[in-house]
Amino acid sequence: MGETLGNLGSVMATLMFIWAMFQQYFPCDHIEKYSHRLMKFFYPHIQITFDEYGRGHFMRHEFYTAIETYLSSNTADQANSLKANTAKNNQSLVLTIDDGEEVEDEFEGVKLWWTSRTITAETQTSRSYEQPDEKRYYRLTFHKKHRDLITKKYLSHVLRVGKAIKVRTRQRKLYTNSWSMWSHVVFDHPATFQTLAMEADKKREVIEDLVSFSKAEDFYARIGKAWKRGYLLYGPPGTGKSTMIAAMANLLLYDVYDLELTAVSDNTELRKLLMQIPSKSITVIEDIDCSLNLTGQRKKMKENKAAEEEEKDPIKKQAKVGDSDEGKTSKVTLSGLLNFIDGLWSASKGERLIAFTTNHMEKLDPALIRRGRMDKHIELSYCSFESFKVLAKNYLELDSHYLFDTIERLLGESKVTPADVAEHLMRKNTSVADAETSLKSLVQALEMAKKEAMLKAKEEGKEDLQLIRKKKNRSSEILMNRKKW
């Protein structure tokens, strides 16, 4: 036994001596270098690796996400092992290739192969126990003679198709701002232009404008302008301004960022919030005439007259003090908002929409709503007969009825909003009798609105007549005084 151990020890010593001599005359880096050269000579393929995360593991690579989406759509049917994830509205599954799977793709007659890999490493944490750290990546393999085709055309094709699929299948969100941050809920508004109570010609014009904008990337690049467009929606309350914004988002498949300016402390916070808004989104500021003091800031007010009224009426004076205290909560200025529209957008990539809504367009500062900022002004007015027919189809599933002629006449003689009309068309059941009851209810409401409008017109006429008489009496007094002098 001792002799055997002695022989074994001498053999080990000999091997260690030979290994030391080998390392001295044949360093490992030389072996590795020549082995790679040998591999390149006999192995004709190139491999490209796309990691899930960059350094720091803070943000997922855009290319990795695009590849994942592209492969799930184009090549997942080849894989034997798949991963399942919920898709839009949690109503369907999206299948992606599992770790270790290899799938084949073809581009312009060239075959190439994608492989999904996950490397699990043990990392030491601050609590002195080991925790697995996973590194995921995709590896693309192709023949080296097709290098230019793959790197210059195929990868761009994968990125473009992957992004397009992601936009179609993603769950869109509605964002609101609070404390310098955006929070979101699922955006699942059912509004479409088909169900929007609006004249057909105006509706078609808006749709064509939106679609044309979404496809105009090359045009905006050629003329040297940022790919952006502003919409001003104005009209009385209840005319469908918010509903139109939802329909715009559904048409273009955009996220909605509802910006509440009164919750923004100053221009710096506004800039931080707006820098976080990505492309393919609609930034909405509703009731901008009420959000901040952005209404006609450059117009001179009749301060002397207002001061006299305040001195006579202490309630008005106190109300003004309260309003000034309220305004101190936000220091966002008109110039800060204009800088966002003109500056930040021009420095940002991708298409962007901004929409303002207001009930009083005449109160807004002209600098805020000029062309180039608010490119398209869309008036949403009182309900017309054409808008009523859309609502009747939506709510009652009626294309015609003997009461339609009466309703058309009354709509021309009164001012009611689509929201008021829709309230009367909201029936309790699906019977034909209930639909007729709804229409009769609307007829009564329109007749009442007509009477109220006539009474109001009479009262205004009386006030105007009294005002004219006062002016005449005043003029007569002035003439009499002049004659005396």
Side-chain angles (χ1 to χ4, degrees), residues 24-78:
Q24 182 178 354
Y25 291 102
F26 301 97
C28 290
D29 55 342
H30 283 67
I31 296 174
E32 186 176 355
K33 181 175 68 173
Y34 289 115
S35 64
H36 279 301
R37 289 184 179 180
L38 190 64
M39 180 67 72
K40 286 182 181 180
F41 181 77
F42 289 103
Y43 187 71
H45 293 90
I46 293 175
Q47 293 182 336
I48 303 178
T49 301
F50 301 90
D51 292 325
E52 182 179 14
Y53 292 96
R55 293 181 178 178
H57 290 240
F58 292 120
M59 186 175 293
R60 215 179 190 206
H61 276 161
E62 183 182 27
F63 219 127
Y64 182 91
T65 305
I67 292 170
E68 184 177 51
T69 307
Y70 174 83
L71 294 179
S72 67
S73 175
N74 291 5
T75 60
D77 55 343
Q78 303 176 24

Side-chain angles (χ1 to χ4, degrees), residues 91-300:
Q91 295 177 354
S92 60
L93 291 176
V94 174
L95 301 177
T96 57
I97 62 175
D98 203 355
D99 296 331
E101 282 290 315
E102 183 178 89
V103 292
E104 182 182 287
D105 194 17
E106 186 172 334
F107 181 74
E108 295 188 3
V110 175
K111 290 185 177 181
L112 34 87
W113 298 267
W114 287 99
T115 308
S116 174
R117 298 287 185 188
T118 300
I119 299 175
T120 303
E122 299 294 333
T123 58
Q124 195 76 16
T125 66
S126 59
R127 294 187 179 182
S128 299
Y129 59 83
E130 293 184 348
Q131 178 178 326
D133 182 24
E134 291 186 340
K135 176 185 176 183
R136 297 182 181 88
Y137 63 90
Y138 284 107
R139 177 166 290 167
L140 173 63
T141 305
F142 57 92
H143 199 284
K144 60 184 179 183
K145 67 181 179 181
H146 303 302
R147 178 195 289 266
D148 289 343
L149 176 67
I150 301 303
T151 56
K152 294 180 180 179
K153 295 179 66 176
Y154 175 71
L155 292 180
S156 299
H157 164 76
V158 171
L159 183 61
R160 183 175 62 256
V161 174
K163 282 184 175 180
I165 297 172
K166 191 72 174 177
V167 169
R168 291 199 305 267
T169 58
R170 70 189 175 96
Q171 178 63 68
R172 290 179 297 119
K173 297 179 177 64
L174 169 63
Y175 292 82
T176 56
N177 62 296
S178 177
W179 297 102
S180 303
M181 296 179 63
W182 292 105
S183 57
H184 68 266
V185 295
V186 172
F187 180 78
D188 195 21
H189 200 293
T192 64
F193 277 97
Q194 184 178 358
T195 60
L196 194 64
M198 192 178 187
E199 290 80 3
D201 291 341
K202 186 180 290 187
K203 192 184 301 185
R204 191 181 307 110
E205 179 186 344
V206 175
I207 292 174
E208 289 175 355
D209 188 79
L210 289 167
V211 173
S212 176
F213 165 79
S214 67
K215 297 178 180 179
E217 181 178 9
D218 294 338
F219 169 76
Y220 279 91
R222 188 173 73 250
I223 64 175
K225 292 185 64 177
W227 191 10
K228 67 181 181 68
R229 193 158 178 80
Y231 290 83
L232 175 66
L233 312 182
Y234 65 97
T239 52
K241 296 183 287 292
S242 299
T243 305
M244 170 168 276
I245 290 172
M248 292 165 68
N250 286 332
L251 176 68
L252 299 177
L253 301 178
Y254 283 4
D255 290 325
V256 178
Y257 284 77
D258 187 6
L259 179 61
E260 179 55 59
L261 287 178
T262 55
V264 183
S265 61
D266 52 29
N267 290 341
T268 302
E269 184 177 324
L270 176 66
R271 179 176 291 272
K272 289 179 181 177
L273 283 168
L274 299 174
M275 287 293 286
Q276 298 173 34
I277 299 177
S279 61
K280 294 188 181 298
S281 61
I282 302 179
T283 304
V284 180
I285 304 178
E286 293 201 85
D287 297 321
I288 191 168
D289 54 297
C290 303
S291 295
L292 290 173
N293 186 22
L294 303 175
T295 57
Q297 290 186 359
R298 302 185 185 189
K299 294 180 180 179
K300 292 185 178 179

Side-chain angles (χ1 to χ4, degrees), residues 443-484:
V443 169
Q444 293 176 359
L446 292 174
E447 289 175 343
M448 183 65 69
K450 178 183 175 182
K451 290 179 181 178
E452 291 176 355
M454 291 175 66
L455 289 173
K456 186 178 179 181
K458 286 182 179 180
E459 292 294 329
E460 290 176 351
K462 289 180 180 179
E463 291 177 0
D464 292 341
L465 184 60
Q466 291 175 358
L467 185 62
I468 291 171
R469 286 175 179 173
K470 286 181 180 179
K471 287 182 177 179
K472 285 184 177 180
N473 293 335
R474 181 63 179 164
S475 299
S476 300
E477 290 177 3
I478 292 172
L479 288 173
M480 291 292 290
N481 292 332
R482 284 180 178 176
K483 288 180 179 179
K484 288 181 180 179

Side-chain angles (χ1 to χ4, degrees), residues 391-401 404 419-442:
L391 293 173
K393 180 66 175 177
N394 294 342
Y395 286 85
L396 306 178
E397 298 181 350
L398 291 177
D399 293 314
S400 62
H401 194 275
F404 275 21
D420 294 329
V421 173
E423 183 61 30
H424 290 281
L425 298 183
M426 187 77 73
R427 62 186 187 179
K428 298 179 180 179
N429 55 61
T430 57
S431 66
V432 176
D434 190 60
E436 185 166 329
T437 302
S438 299
L439 291 175
K440 287 181 178 179
S441 172
L442 176 61

